[in-house]
Amino acid sequence: MVLFSVTKKATTPFDGQKPGTSGLRKKVTVFQQPHYLQNFVQSTFNALPADKVKGATIVVSGDGRYFSKDAVQIITKMAAANGVRRVWVGQNSLMSTPAVSGVIRERVAADGSKATGAFILTASHNPGGPTEDFGIKYNMENGGPAPESVTDKIFSNTKTITEYLIAEDLPDVDISVVGVTSFSGPEGPFDVDVFDSTIDYIKLMKTIFDFESIKKLLASPKFTFCYDALHGVAGNYAKRIFVEELGADESSLLNCVPKEDFGGGHPDPNLTYAKELVDRMGLGKSSNVEPPEFGAAADGDADRNMILGKRFFVTPSDSVAIIAANAVQSIPYFASGLKGVARSMPTSAALDVVAKNLNLKFFEVPTGWKFFGNLMDAGMCSICGEESFGTGSDHIREKDGIWAVLAWLSILAFKNKDNLGGDKLVTVEDIVHQHWGTYGRHYYTRYDYENVDAGAAKELMANLVSMQSSLSDVNKLIKEIRSDVSDVVAADEFEYKDPVDGSVSKHQGIRYLFGDGSRLVFRLSGTGSVGATIRVYIEQYENDSSKTGRDSQDALAPLVDVALKLSKMQEYTGRSAPTVIT
């Protein structure tokens, strides 16, 4: 057995190591600076209770982006030096964010122990490669992201750190080979367990969904299927689940070989970046083949999803509402009913209408999955979602992109269970139109302005807040922009008091609420690695079934005009158009 020693390395703080809504994200070159990653990891260990480190089991894996394999070795050596008992690593450092959450919650070591947390190496939907983005975040023993009380402590530690612990003489572990490697150090044995995380994840999915009913759907000659992993970690799971377990043809899979640079693409599952899938589904300008009935995409770490029908896009806001409306009858895990539902504040109110109609508990929370996790831990929420292509349930404490795809396939399987031999299947588009007929439609779009000067972005937001002091002046200005837009009846900066722990989260987005149910929301995103991202959310509710079939951008054009001129977007940012429209 290899013996290792512990070294204390002197260091000095780095500015700006504050974890955002999903951890710390910077360019790879920033993380490659001597001591940079080590400072953050030690600051995290120092922020955790001693019993969650000494003698504990932690998970270290991620989406496989560039620098991940180096980071796994560094964190493993630091874990050993800090007295961790064992580290679980996904083979080739690959483990989706939802799979990590599942492993923390479900996996049991030979001695009966479970993981107390995880370092997840991901920058989610951001590009990867030597000049692109890297990220790291810590998840707690419930499987969810560290709460603000912990991330604030981590950040505080990064500002005062003077040394970190590392086992420099611990050999690198071959993470391409499944198996346990054992070492011994000053505090006793230390193991590195490399395992195939797809096995645990598939086992979990089989406790939720009826794989046989989905298999029958995929076997129907009238049903065709396409899944695009955008060269992210989802590809590691896609072949195992969709092909080997459910019987889809391997040609159904696009970009399902994980790559450190995501094949040079942007692993964000939306209509802008998932170009190949969009074309194949008949929504691109150059589409000239018959599209499949169902298509879906994932982001880099497989926690986000995009759902498409033939020549039809399902907004994430509609997707979570439709899953919630159909879950009890379509998905065995929910057969006994839903405990409640929740959405992030910027997400459209489509879920609110479902909750009201089905008499479900409903919660509106700030952006960030940790807020859903609190509700789930308290038994108050079963299904939740964010407009930023994140959907999930209480089976774990992260959003789960493959779960969302299986949920949609379950709904399609249920709707078609007596129709698989018929002339025409119930389609994705049919299900969405049926939903609008029952609950009304929330026309919805999001404009993203990426890498905006941070100072200009803050000025724009401050101006929007100051305008809220006089709604009469706001409405006068709006009428000058568009006379056909309703008056603003309320405006605020969203503030959330957690019903579980009583914590208060302020400055979570600026809202303008209109008399006809329309909304404008402005928010600075914390998921980028440089500059600022301004997100503008524009929504209009329509419950007249004769008016729910309009083109979304046409229906929202008046509100878009108001949003851009009211905020003085071009004046503050110099941008004449958004980077991305979803």
Side-chain angles (χ1 to χ4, degrees), residues 273-400:
Y273 294 126
K275 295 183 181 71
E276 191 173 349
L277 177 68
V278 167
D279 281 344
R280 184 175 286 203
M281 295 305 298
L283 289 164
K285 294 175 183 175
S286 60
S287 304
N288 54 15
V289 295
E290 183 66 9
E293 289 296 327
F294 179 87
D299 69 333
D301 65 330
D303 62 351
R304 298 184 185 214
N305 73 94
M306 177 170 66
I307 303 297
L308 301 173
K310 182 186 291 187
R311 303 186 187 92
F312 190 82
F313 168 62
V314 183
T315 72
S317 297
D318 278 345
S319 181
V320 65
I322 290 166
I323 291 171
N326 291 278
V328 172
Q329 60 186 4
S330 304
I331 301 171
Y333 181 82
F334 300 114
S336 60
L338 302 181
K339 300 165 188 170
V341 294
R343 65 165 173 84
S344 66
M345 182 275 286
T347 303
S348 94
L351 186 61
D352 312 35
V353 181
V354 171
K356 185 176 180 181
N357 274 264
L358 300 183
N359 197 28
L360 297 170
K361 287 180 185 174
F362 168 78
F363 303 92
E364 180 181 33
V365 307
T367 297
W369 214 259
K370 63 189 90 174
F371 300 103
F372 295 131
N374 266 9
L375 297 171
M376 290 173 177
D377 286 346
M380 299 164 74
C381 177
S382 296
I383 290 175
C384 57
E386 296 180 332
E387 51 68 41
S388 53
F389 296 83
T391 326
S393 89
D394 61 351
H395 67 290
I396 54 171
R397 296 297 180 266
E398 288 278 5
K399 48 186 174 275
D400 190 343

Side-chain angles (χ1 to χ4, degrees), residues 456-498:
K458 288 177 182 175
E459 287 179 21
L460 181 149
M461 299 296 279
N463 184 54
L464 283 167
V465 171
S466 68
M467 290 170 65
Q468 293 181 342
S469 62
S470 176
L471 293 189
S472 59
D473 288 346
V474 168
N475 285 321
K476 183 180 177 183
L477 182 58
I478 288 173
K479 286 294 180 278
E480 290 172 0
I481 299 168
R482 292 292 299 229
S483 60
D484 54 345
V485 168
S486 177
D487 280 351
V488 172
V489 294
D492 64 5
E493 242 189 313
F494 182 60
E495 184 175 299
Y496 176 69
K497 183 175 182 181
D498 195 300

Side-chain angles (χ1 to χ4, degrees), residues 180-328:
V180 179
T181 308
S182 297
F183 306 96
S184 185
E187 297 190 46
F190 173 71
D191 294 336
V192 181
D193 182 355
V194 178
F195 69 105
D196 178 356
S197 72
T198 63
I199 296 170
D200 296 79
Y201 185 77
I202 291 168
K203 182 180 175 183
L204 178 59
M205 290 301 103
K206 284 184 172 180
T207 68
I208 299 170
F209 301 104
D210 180 351
F211 270 43
E212 285 305 311
S213 70
I214 300 174
K215 199 170 182 178
K216 288 176 185 175
L217 173 72
L218 292 179
S220 169
K222 295 183 179 64
F223 187 81
T224 41
F225 168 85
C226 186
Y227 184 78
D228 189 346
L230 296 176
H231 287 302
V233 72
N236 214 35
Y237 300 82
K239 184 177 179 182
R240 294 290 306 277
I241 293 174
F242 299 126
V243 176
E244 295 177 17
E245 293 285 342
L246 296 173
D249 194 280
E250 198 156 350
S251 64
S252 304
L253 305 183
L254 289 176
N255 305 313
C256 280
V257 177
K259 295 184 177 180
E260 289 188 334
D261 66 349
F262 306 110
H266 193 142
D268 197 352
N270 59 45
L271 295 172
T272 300
Y273 294 126
K275 295 183 181 71
E276 191 173 349
L277 177 68
V278 167
D279 281 344
R280 184 175 286 203
M281 295 305 298
L283 289 164
K285 294 175 183 175
S286 60
S287 304
N288 54 15
V289 295
E290 183 66 9
E293 289 296 327
F294 179 87
D299 69 333
D301 65 330
D303 62 351
R304 298 184 185 214
N305 73 94
M306 177 170 66
I307 303 297
L308 301 173
K310 182 186 291 187
R311 303 186 187 92
F312 190 82
F313 168 62
V314 183
T315 72
S317 297
D318 278 345
S319 181
V320 65
I322 290 166
I323 291 171
N326 291 278
V328 172

Side-chain angles (χ1 to χ4, degrees), residues 518-541:
S518 301
R519 293 194 314 161
L520 293 180
V521 175
F522 301 85
R523 185 176 153 269
L524 293 181
S525 170
T527 60
S529 62
V530 293
T533 295
I534 302 172
R535 290 193 167 138
V536 186
Y537 310 84
I538 301 147
E539 172 184 358
Q540 179 146 14
Y541 179 57

Side-chain angles (χ1 to χ4, degrees), residues 7 9 11 35-48 53 78-79 81-82 119 154 157-158 161-166:
T7 303
K9 300 282 285 188
T11 189
H35 312 305
Y36 189 90
L37 173 64
Q38 291 90 333
N39 278 19
F40 186 81
V41 171
Q42 188 65 56
S43 295
T44 302
F45 280 136
N46 294 347
L48 297 171
V53 180
M78 293 186 66
N82 278 275
F119 286 99
I154 293 170
N157 290 344
T158 68
I161 189 168
T162 59
E163 66 179 22
Y164 61 84
L165 306 180
I166 188 165

